[in-house]
């Protein structure tokens, strides 16, 4: 790596306030606000709107489409398709 052209890469806390969840990782993202972490050190904190604790896909609250109901409704409305 060439010196002086890469951003600083260090520990950062990402916090999802909606879910009350935070995790410590390394990133090039920075922030002016700091947080005291579980290990006693202070780290920059970045607030995010959605994380794995609040995203419907990861929490299992994602809605599944009822494709069978849609097909039946289509067939009632427009009739069955003719066989070829």
């Amino acid at each position: 790596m060439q010196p002086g052209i890469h951003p600083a890469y260090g520990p950062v806390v990402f916090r999802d306030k909606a879910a009350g969840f935070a995790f410590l990782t390394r990133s090039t993202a920075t922030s002016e606000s700091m947080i005291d972490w579980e290990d006693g050190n202070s780290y920059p904190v970045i607030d995010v709107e959605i994380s794995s604790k609040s995203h419907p896909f990861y929490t299992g609250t994602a809605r599944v489409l009822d494709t069978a109901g849609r097909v039946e409704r289509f067939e009632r409305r427009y009739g069955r398709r003719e066989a070829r």
Side-chain angles (χ1 to χ4, degrees):
M1 292 184 6
Q2 293 180 336
I5 65 168
H6 299 284
Y9 183 70
V12 177
V13 174
F14 287 92
R15 177 174 56 188
D16 181 358
K17 286 187 172 182
F21 175 69
F23 59 94
L24 177 66
T25 186
R26 294 177 54 96
S27 176
T28 58
T30 60
S31 174
E32 295 294 323
S33 57
M34 302 291 280
I35 189 172
D36 293 328
W37 193 244
E38 300 161 356
D39 62 2
N41 295 326
S42 291
Y43 299 106
V45 62
I46 297 175
D47 292 322
V48 294
E49 293 181 19
I50 199 158
S51 70
S52 61
K53 291 292 182 187
S54 61
H55 192 281
F57 180 78
Y58 294 107
T59 60
T61 59
R63 295 189 301 165
V64 177
L65 294 176
D66 181 21
T67 55
R70 288 177 175 235
V71 170
E72 291 168 1
R73 188 171 61 220
F74 179 86
E75 289 176 349
R76 275 197 316 262
R77 191 176 291 168
Y78 301 108
R80 291 192 63 90
R81 195 171 138 187
E82 297 290 326
R84 290 185 183 183

